[in-house]
Amino acid sequence: MAEHSTVAVLGTGIMGTAIAHNLLRTGHTVRVWNRTAAKAEPLAAEGAELAATAAEAVTGADTVITTLYDGPAALEAATAAAPGLRPGAVWLQATTVDLGSVTELAELARQAGVLFVDSPVLGTKGPAEAGQLTVLAAGPEEARAKVGSVLEAIGQRTIWVADDATTAAATRLKLVCNNWVLALTHGTAETLGLAKGLGVDPQSFFDAVAGGGIDCGYLHIKSDVILSDGYEPPSFALSTAAKDARLIVEAAEAADVRMDLTAAGAERFRRAEEQGHGDKDMAASYFASFD
């Protein structure tokens, strides 16, 4: 494939917008579609072609990237796009979905004659905008050879975990990684909530753990969000994190694994959503510490 290709991005939320921006920055021709069209319009100023329908966006595209909310949303968009898919094109499915949806999406790709790559990404708004995502990918060698320049544009590295996307190997790894991220997020939020309740200066906590094995950069990133009330715009929205927590619990239950902490974290997210914090950064789990 030529170094610069035509890429269709379906879904222009936080991740999709950043991905489209970096593809444009690196010289690719980019078409974008979003169910709420107004969210895609800012990309036109950068040179993206706005498509009225998903099928229009993918027509003639070398690569299609889906960055939507969940499995049903990805399946709906891909089904609508199917008439425009070019046989032999590569579909990078970057939405975080349930394991069953990977099977459905892969079958849709097979019927359309496109190369399907299960390819969720690790990273939030900042890394996405900087083109520093980590792409977790499972797909055939034929597809890998075609999307090198696309993957280089959106991520700092790609980890190929399997050559058969139907195994959902990349999505399974993504759920494991996200479980760790959510655990750190809740741990930070709940610890700062406890500090407030006990009248402990958060800086005393940071000083106590500084430089030791239980200190970490992510603690300080999310602490800064909480202590500065900097929840908006979100790096990763709480409502999306809540969806991912549910996916993790469901996948674990199917594998006969008990996820007590993750289930409790999902409940924290539910309470925070109920309090009106769904559109804020997922560090707003903090508010679930209080009635």
Side-chain angles (χ1 to χ4, degrees):
M1 176 177 288
E3 185 68 17
H4 299 138
S5 57
T6 298
V7 185
V9 179
L10 306 184
T12 55
I14 291 175
M15 304 304 285
T17 294
I19 286 171
H21 166 77
N22 283 304
L23 289 167
L24 288 164
R25 178 181 56 80
T26 50
H28 293 81
T29 298
V30 179
R31 298 200 202 107
V32 294
W33 170 85
N34 195 72
R35 183 167 54 183
T36 303
K39 289 187 177 180
E41 288 175 358
L43 287 163
E46 298 183 40
E49 301 172 14
L50 303 184
T53 66
E56 178 184 325
V58 305
T59 298
D62 303 299
T63 305
V64 176
I65 305 176
T66 43
T67 56
L68 297 137
Y69 178 70
D70 59 9
L75 185 60
E76 179 182 357
T79 299
L85 289 170
R86 179 178 63 78
V90 179
W91 174 8
L92 296 174
Q93 203 307 102
T95 309
T96 302
V97 304
D98 59 284
L99 300 181
S101 288
V102 176
T103 301
E104 293 182 273
L105 294 165
E107 175 58 21
L108 179 62
R110 187 193 67 78
Q111 294 175 7
V114 300
L115 299 171
F116 183 72
V117 181
D118 176 28
S119 52
V121 297
L122 291 180
T124 53
K125 183 179 180 181
E129 291 178 338
Q132 296 296 301
L133 294 169
T134 295
V135 182
L136 310 176
E141 287 287 346
E142 182 182 358
R144 302 183 195 190
K146 292 184 175 184
V147 292
S149 66
V150 172
L151 294 174
E152 288 175 8
I154 67 176
Q156 62 177 340
R157 60 177 179 151
T158 299
I159 301 174
W160 290 96
V161 296
D163 58 11
D164 182 359
T166 65
T167 65
T171 288
R172 286 186 279 117
L173 176 57
K174 174 64 186 294
L175 294 180
V176 170
C177 292
N178 270 18
N179 190 65
W180 179 237
V181 171
L182 298 186
L184 290 173
T185 299
H186 290 306
T188 300
E190 200 166 66
T191 297
L192 291 184
L194 178 63
K196 179 178 181 179
L198 298 183
V200 172
D201 182 351
Q203 188 58 52
S204 297
F205 162 57
F206 301 141
D207 291 344
V209 302
I214 58 174
D215 195 5
C216 70
Y218 195 82
L219 164 66
H220 298 283
I221 291 171
K222 288 307 178 189
S223 292
D224 286 346
V225 172
I226 294 168
L227 296 175
S228 69
D229 196 30
Y231 299 99
E232 298 178 282
S235 176
F236 192 80
L238 186 143
S239 60
T240 304
K243 178 266 298 184
D244 287 357
R246 293 191 294 270
L247 295 184
I248 292 165
V249 172
E250 290 169 5
E253 287 177 347
D256 295 323
V257 178
R258 294 190 57 165
M259 302 293 289
D260 300 320
L261 291 177
T262 306
E267 173 60 17
R268 286 183 66 85
F269 281 143
R270 187 198 65 76
R271 292 202 305 273
E273 281 189 293
E274 196 172 72
Q275 293 169 345
H277 304 296
D279 292 334
K280 295 180 180 178
D281 188 88
M282 62 180 170
S285 162
Y286 174 78
F287 295 107
S289 297
F290 312 99
D291 293 329

